[in-house]
Each structure stands twice: as C-alpha cells, then as structure tokens.
Amino acid sequence: MAHPSQLGFQDAASPVMEELLHFHDHALMIVFLISTLVLYIIVAMVSTKLTNKYILDSQEIEIIWTVLPAIILILIALPSLRILYLMDEINSPLLTIKAVGHQWYWSYEYTDYEDLGFDAYMIPTQDLNPGQFRLLEADHRMVIPVESPIRVLVSADDVLHSWAVPALGVKMDAVPGRLNQTAFIASRPGIFYGQCSEICGANHSFMPIVVEAVPLEHFENWSSRMLEDA
C-alpha cells in the first residue's frame, strides 16, 4: 500500500497494473526527453546572440517539427490502446463478485454461491487493533483466490460511487440502476486497500475497500466457513 512521501505508484499486484506501470515509465521518459530539448533550446536562445540563417526560413526544419510530434504521439497512443483493450478483456472468470455501493459502505455478493454475501463497514478508529490502518480497514474483507481471473460487477444503491483498488489496477464507477463490470487477476497473496473514488456525500472518506488474495485452498476453507455461518 502507499506510504507517506511516496512519489511513485504502489507495487503492482496484477498483470494489468504491471502493464500500467510500464506504460507510465515509457510516457514519462518521453516527457523528460521533450522537456530537456525545450529547456536546451530556451537556454541556447537566451544565452547566445548568434543567429543561424538556415533556421529562420527552412522547409526541412518545418517538416521535422511537424512530423516528429506525430511520431511521438503514435509511440504513446499504441501502447495506451493496447492496455485499454487488455483492461476490458474478460475471459472465463473463475469467480464473479457483485459489489454494491451504499451510503456509506460496500456490500458484496458471491454470485457463484447460493447464499454468500456480507456488508463491509469501516472499522472506527477507536476499535482498530495494533498494526491496522486508520480509514482503510473494513470489518469484512473481500476474499479472492490468487492467480485466478475474478470478475467484479459494480453497481450502487443510492448515489454515484467508485470501486477502486490501486494495487490491482482496478477502478470502476458504481452507478444506480446500471451494472458495470471489470476483471483482474491477483498475481500474489496479500491484502490490498482501496477507497471509494467518487464524491458520494458527507461520509465519502469512510467507505474503504479491502481485498485479501489467498491461495485457492484457503479461499475454499473461508467460503465453507462463511456458508456455515450463514
């Protein structure tokens, strides 16, 4: 998860997030190169009184500074479109979970099971155990099997919400009366935190998302215990 004074993204926990990090580095390198070139040109123009007569009126220079930006845009657009389509790919999910946003908590339904669902409320600060995170811990975690394709159906019961977990590269708007879907694969076990990313009212800051990725055997044991309790 993120930590104070962190400048970069969180460590990737899904293949899509790894692709997003690589694209971020790719685009940032292009921005650095452009910024360096522009800074050099500005410094050169300010610090010298010499004038090159071939730059004042040159068809070749005009062609270069017209074609070069187009090439740079293509180098940015093609990887971006590739990742955009990868994020929309949903192939034979192993598990489908319906996440519904309420004011101000999340409810989860494991649609592959007959009666497996629960509400997830934020744990108040005074009830936190040592080592737990303020405003990020929920009383129920969304448990998923690791290295398995997971489909999440996202909707809302009242106002606009947004289900987002940065480490998994997932962010999907929850709209009342509309069912959106997204998918991800947790590439390693762990606990991943997110929050509602759409201003949804007075307690918008107090509806965290906690996803716990565990091995398949542990997930089966957890689901069996939840069904017995239900």
Side-chain angles (χ1 to χ4, degrees), residues 40 46 52 65 77 80 85 102 107 128 133 137 147-148 155 158 170 176 208-209 213:
Y40 169 77
V46 171
N52 189 328
W65 71 39
S80 176
Y85 280 99
H102 307 267
S107 62
L128 290 174
F133 300 103
E137 295 289 351
E147 294 182 346
S148 302
S155 187
D158 34 48
V170 176
I209 300 160

Side-chain angles (χ1 to χ4, degrees), residues 1-207:
M1 61 171 292
H3 56 79
S5 72
Q6 178 176 333
L7 297 179
F9 290 101
Q10 299 181 29
D11 292 338
S14 71
V16 169
M17 190 60 195
E18 290 178 8
E19 293 288 342
L20 289 171
L21 289 178
H22 293 155
F23 174 72
H24 168 265
D25 296 340
H26 167 73
L28 202 60
M29 187 57 63
I30 293 176
V31 170
F32 280 153
L33 292 174
I34 294 173
S35 302
T36 303
L37 177 61
V38 172
L39 180 63
Y40 169 77
I41 293 173
I42 292 175
V43 172
M45 291 179 64
V46 171
S47 61
T48 182
K49 296 181 180 179
L50 299 177
T51 302
N52 189 328
K53 65 180 182 179
Y54 295 107
I55 295 181
L56 294 178
D57 184 18
S58 172
Q59 295 292 333
E60 291 79 7
I61 291 294
E62 292 183 5
I63 291 173
I64 290 173
W65 71 39
T66 300
V67 174
L68 191 60
I71 295 174
I72 293 173
L73 288 176
I74 292 173
L75 291 176
I76 295 175
L78 291 180
S80 176
L81 288 172
R82 172 179 169 271
I83 297 174
L84 194 63
Y85 280 99
L86 280 176
M87 294 174 70
D88 282 339
E89 282 291 327
I90 300 178
N91 293 322
S92 303
L94 180 72
L95 184 67
T96 298
I97 304 172
K98 183 179 179 183
V100 181
H102 307 267
Q103 290 182 312
W104 286 274
Y105 64 95
W106 292 96
S107 62
Y108 298 99
E109 301 173 18
Y110 288 70
T111 59
D112 298 289
Y113 295 84
E114 186 174 350
D115 188 21
L116 180 52
F118 49 84
D119 297 331
Y121 291 86
M122 187 194 75
I123 299 177
T125 303
Q126 62 272 18
D127 297 335
L128 290 174
N129 296 322
Q132 290 186 320
F133 300 103
R134 177 177 171 270
L135 301 183
L136 288 177
E137 295 289 351
D139 58 356
H140 289 91
R141 294 171 175 173
M142 191 185 95
V143 181
I144 59 169
V146 74
E147 294 182 346
S148 302
I150 309 297
R151 175 172 57 186
V152 182
L153 306 176
V154 184
S155 187
D157 186 51
D158 34 48
V159 298
L160 291 175
H161 299 278
S162 184
W163 197 84
V165 183
L168 296 173
V170 176
K171 181 177 180 181
M172 181 57 65
D173 287 341
V175 183
R178 181 185 177 94
L179 200 62
N180 294 327
Q181 70 174 353
T182 185
F184 62 88
I185 299 175
S187 54
R188 56 185 170 85
I191 301 173
F192 311 109
Y193 296 92
Q195 290 178 301
C196 177
S197 295
E198 189 75 46
I199 305 271
C200 58
N203 292 333
H204 158 68
S205 303
F206 308 115
M207 46 185 305

